[in-house]
DNA sequence: CAGCAATATTTGTCAACGGCAAGTTTATTA
DNA sequence: TAATAAACTTGCCGTTGACAAATATTGCTG
């Protein structure tokens, strides 16, 4: 197992695309029968935890422009999966939250997802599971650091 | 670090979406300035290694229907990134291969990708790198096993 | 060996997706 | 209070991708 940097980079470039392709296919599979697209489910997942989110923050969380988020919410609204209300304090902002039906749908998908990931987990040895969790945790930390650094770099640039 | 199955599943469900979101954003960033979409670059990557690929195999590799692959190749053709020829032996099949320009573009993206992943790698400790490679390798094996099992299951079903 | 099924691909049609630029409405600031 | 800024929405356009129906070519069968 080459753990030097060039070897690591080579391995990781081979592994990640395949794993991502599989996980994306899996994400589509878990939506079978529910009349929802992956993009729409992503939005429901982001909206699951908070009571409600301003349009802009929803867009950020999804990595979309605000216009794309507006349109996405338009469709979710037509399907009765979310509610959209103007903020009473700052009437520029529009707040989005899950409808009862939207929450039920998200719950169902979470359940399917959990069953599927459990199936994966059962085929891994305990050591492999902990390697995975520790490795991914470290990687995510790196990503978050880089994101934070580039954001603050941008800000100082704009402020100067 | 909970490595029991429920704990693992919970961790992994938190980690993967975030990491995938970051990697997708990164994949968009590495295309800046090149007039290519992520879907188009995926196709170029798949076409990079083999001399040429039948339309159907390209579709499979990308996880698309053949019709979607046809359309994707249409655009790549308009951009002079690929060539498309009928197979002389079996004149039903259409073979697609990179053009010189397409190959140059893919090379450039590979280079950017390598630089970026090296940046990630430099921020990980050696132990974290090997955890990651070993964990992801094991996971990919599970995915491939599951895919293989479901394919053979489908085949026997269809043949019966 | 004619004819019909199977294979490989394309086309028509439709909706979702997402970016950019130009609006609209509401808040903030000078 | 006028000018600016902030938070969204809309118009416009091209890409993406699925499904069903065509097309062309090959393979099989009686």
């Amino acid at each position: 197992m080459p753990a030097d940097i060039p070897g690591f980079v080579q391995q990781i470039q081979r592994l990640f695309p395949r794993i991502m392709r599989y996980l994306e296919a899996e994400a589509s599979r878990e939506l079978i029968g529910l009349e929802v697209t992956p993009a729409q489910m992503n939005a429901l997942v982001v909206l699951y935890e908070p009571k409600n989110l301003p349009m802009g923050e929803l867009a950020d969380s999804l990595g979309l422009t605000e216009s794309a988020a507006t349109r996405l919410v338009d469709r979710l609204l037509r399907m009765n999966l979310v509610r959209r209300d103007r903020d009473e304090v700052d009437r520029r902002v529009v707040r989005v939250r899950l409808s009862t039906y939207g929450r039920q749908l998200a719950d169902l998908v979470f359940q399917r997802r959990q069953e599927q990931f459990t199936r994966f987990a059962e085929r891994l040895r305990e050591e492999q599971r902990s390697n995975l969790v520790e490795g991914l945790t470290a990687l995510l930390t790196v990503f978050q650091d880089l994101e934070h650094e580039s954001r603050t770099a941008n800000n100082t640039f704009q402020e100067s």
Side-chain angles (χ1 to χ4, degrees), chain A:
Chain A
M1 284 282 164
D4 61 293
I5 289 186
F8 170 78
V9 169
Q10 193 188 340
Q11 296 266 13
I12 227 67
Q13 280 183 325
R14 190 182 60 85
L15 290 166
F16 260 128
R18 301 183 192 193
I19 286 178
M20 283 178 68
R21 191 118 53 214
Y22 189 91
L23 287 176
E24 279 160 21
E26 192 50 47
S28 297
R29 254 172 256 140
E30 81 197 3
L31 297 180
I32 288 174
L34 325 176
E35 304 267 298
V36 193
T37 66
Q40 290 164 359
M41 184 48 65
N42 283 342
L44 298 187
V45 169
V46 167
L47 290 169
Y48 192 88
E49 157 70 22
K51 293 279 173 287
N52 60 66
L53 266 191
M55 204 47 110
E57 290 182 28
L58 176 59
D60 280 352
S61 296
L62 294 170
L64 301 177
T65 59
E66 293 195 342
S67 102
T70 294
R71 240 78 80 137
L72 194 49
V73 168
D74 283 346
R75 284 175 226 117
L76 294 173
L77 205 59
R78 261 198 292 121
M79 303 184 234
N80 291 313
L81 291 168
V82 300
R83 304 189 154 280
R84 169 165 61 181
D85 310 284
R86 284 215 167 269
D87 187 310
E88 284 305 323
V89 181
D90 184 340
R91 299 194 46 77
R92 290 172 301 182
V93 343
V94 168
R95 292 184 169 274
V96 188
R97 61 189 159 87
L98 289 189
S99 69
T100 309
Y101 174 43
R103 191 162 294 273
Q104 285 171 357
L105 228 170
D107 282 329
L108 174 57
V109 169
F110 287 148
Q111 189 190 328
R112 289 187 181 182
R113 199 169 282 185
Q114 176 135 357
E115 287 166 7
Q116 194 58 26
F117 272 94
T118 303
R119 236 161 265 141
F120 300 153
E122 284 166 350
R123 291 179 175 234
L124 293 172
R125 292 197 310 275
E126 172 160 341
E127 186 207 357
Q128 296 172 324
R129 294 199 298 268
S130 64
N131 279 343
L132 204 46
V133 169
E134 282 167 34
L136 290 176
T137 301
L139 186 62
L140 182 58
T141 303
V142 170
F143 288 168
Q144 287 171 341
D145 288 351
L146 285 169
E147 213 163 43
H148 182 256
E149 286 168 24
S150 80
R151 233 201 312 277
T152 54
N154 273 345
N155 288 348
T156 43
F157 175 69
Q158 286 172 359
E159 284 160 13
S160 71

